């Protein structure tokens, strides 16, 4: 059985979620209040529907309850985003992901029970800034205000050493949860694993610890 998703709001963010889900072989209902936007997705999504999702009866009539995960990607109209999320909760949709415009919007969304709140522009800004500050940090994903996961390129200082030799957890407080080696990923690498050139370390820790590790261990 294919997974079934619905995406509400077909701006750049919602639209790219629709395209990628289809690419990943899921069934997607694409929904927008604008019929022009809906027409754009008629041949891309499994179904494309024009609807005002702030109206509970409209949401019920399109069978929104049957979707296991619904994304609310309404951007500028914060009121419509909040009302839509509220209606989805009322109807009993199991999982709701919502795009937030700012911190106050996020607070309200969390209060009314959104399962996941994302800030694509802010998060991408953080990732790019981290990569600009250090060429070794290839990617950076915030888990909370304090903790993150980073992809860090191993350099000559680390190559040839085992994880025991480096003693990274004791020295820097970060954990290496996986090593990307070409197309392979070693999950929970063993302590005797030797780091090779071109390895990418996937580390988890507080922002402070990750930056300390990056500065001290790699320079
Ligand atoms: P992006 O940056 O991803 O392009 P955005 O933040 O600019 O997005 P908007 O264009 O403001 O997003 O909104 C996304 C879509 O949400 C629009 O196509 C808009 O028509 C749709 N939308 C707004 N209100 C509603 C509503 N009540 N019901 C359904 N769709 C809506």
């Amino acid at each position: 059985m294919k997974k079934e998703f619905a995406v509400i709001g077909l701006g750049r963010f919602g639209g790219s979620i629709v395209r990628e889900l289809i690419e990943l072989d899921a069934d997607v209902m694409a929904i927008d209040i604008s019929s022009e936007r809906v027409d754009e997705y008629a041949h891309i999504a499994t179904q494309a529907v024009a609807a005002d999702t702030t109206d509970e009866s409209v949401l019920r009539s399109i069978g929104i309850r049957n979707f296991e995960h619904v994304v609310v990607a309404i951007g500028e109209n914060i009121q419509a985003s909040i009302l839509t999320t509220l209606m989805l909760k009322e109807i009993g949709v199991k999982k709701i992901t919502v795009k937030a415009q700012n911190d106050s919007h996020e607070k309200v969304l969390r209060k009314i029970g959104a399962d996941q709140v994302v800030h694509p522009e802010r998060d991408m800004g953080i990732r790019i800034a981290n990569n600009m500050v250090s060429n070794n940090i290839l990617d950076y994903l915030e888990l909370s205000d304090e903790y993150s996961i980073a992809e860090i390129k191993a350099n000559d200082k680390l190559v040839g050493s085992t994880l025991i030799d480096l003693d990274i957890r004791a020295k820097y407080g970060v954990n290496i949860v996986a090593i990307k080696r070409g197309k392979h990923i070693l999950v929970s690498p063993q302590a005797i694993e030797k780091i090779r050139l071109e390895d990418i370390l996937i580390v988890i820790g507080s922002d402070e610890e990750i930056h300390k590790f990056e500065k001290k261990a790699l320079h």
Side-chain angles (χ1 to χ4, degrees):
M1 268 266 290
K2 279 191 180 184
K3 290 201 164 187
E4 295 194 330
F5 302 107
V7 177
I8 300 173
L10 303 172
R12 283 163 300 180
F13 179 63
S16 96
I17 293 180
V18 172
R19 288 171 198 275
E20 191 63 19
L21 285 172
I22 292 288
E23 196 70 21
L24 294 168
D25 205 29
D27 274 337
V28 188
M29 181 189 267
I31 306 163
D32 201 290
I33 200 168
S34 142
S35 46
E36 280 128 59
R37 284 262 159 104
V38 171
D39 287 346
E40 269 179 55
Y41 285 85
H43 300 292
I44 298 167
T46 319
Q47 281 182 83
V49 177
D52 179 354
T53 55
T54 60
D55 185 334
E56 187 176 342
S57 60
V58 170
L59 280 177
R60 286 190 190 276
S61 72
I62 58 177
I64 203 76
R65 201 174 194 286
N66 303 325
F67 293 91
E68 49 194 284
H69 192 161
V70 178
V71 175
V72 181
I74 299 175
E76 268 163 38
N77 189 342
I78 290 181
Q79 189 177 330
S81 152
I82 292 170
L83 276 175
T84 297
T85 308
L86 200 58
M87 297 307 155
L88 295 172
K89 278 306 281 185
E90 294 257 320
I91 292 172
V93 170
K94 280 200 209 81
K95 185 151 189 217
I96 308 170
T97 295
V98 194
K99 169 184 162 170
Q101 282 295 91
N102 53 48
D103 292 344
S104 328
H105 187 190
E106 169 165 6
K107 261 192 198 151
V108 177
L109 293 171
R110 292 208 182 275
K111 276 241 163 9
I112 60 176
D115 300 288
Q116 186 183 26
V117 180
V118 295
H119 294 251
E121 291 91 352
R122 187 192 70 183
D123 295 347
M124 192 46 91
I126 290 171
R127 290 163 83 165
I128 291 175
N130 274 282
N131 180 246
M132 287 165 76
V133 169
S134 161
N135 288 332
N136 293 317
I137 297 184
L138 304 177
D139 206 351
Y140 203 82
L141 203 68
E142 272 193 319
L143 297 175
S144 70
D145 285 349
E146 202 183 338
Y147 287 90
S148 298
I149 290 184
E151 283 192 2
I152 297 180
K153 198 161 61 179
N155 69 355
D156 298 349
K157 260 182 101 174
L158 302 185
V159 170
S161 305
T162 65
L163 298 184
I164 306 181
D165 299 335
L166 296 169
D167 203 13
I168 287 168
R169 189 184 313 156
K171 282 194 190 144
Y172 306 101
V174 300
N175 278 294
I176 298 184
V177 290
I179 298 177
K180 269 193 193 172
R181 185 167 286 159
K183 282 187 180 159
H184 302 285
I185 295 193
L186 307 176
V187 180
S188 304
Q190 301 219 334
I192 52 163
E193 188 65 45
K194 262 194 189 155
I195 294 181
R196 302 186 194 165
L197 198 65
E198 308 281 324
D199 274 357
I200 294 168
L201 311 178
I202 302 178
V203 305
I204 188 166
S206 71
D207 295 325
E208 197 187 330
E209 289 162 345
I210 291 176
H211 285 109
K212 194 168 92 186
F213 168 61
E214 194 279 322
K215 274 210 186 79
K216 294 250 169 82
L218 296 170
H219 295 280

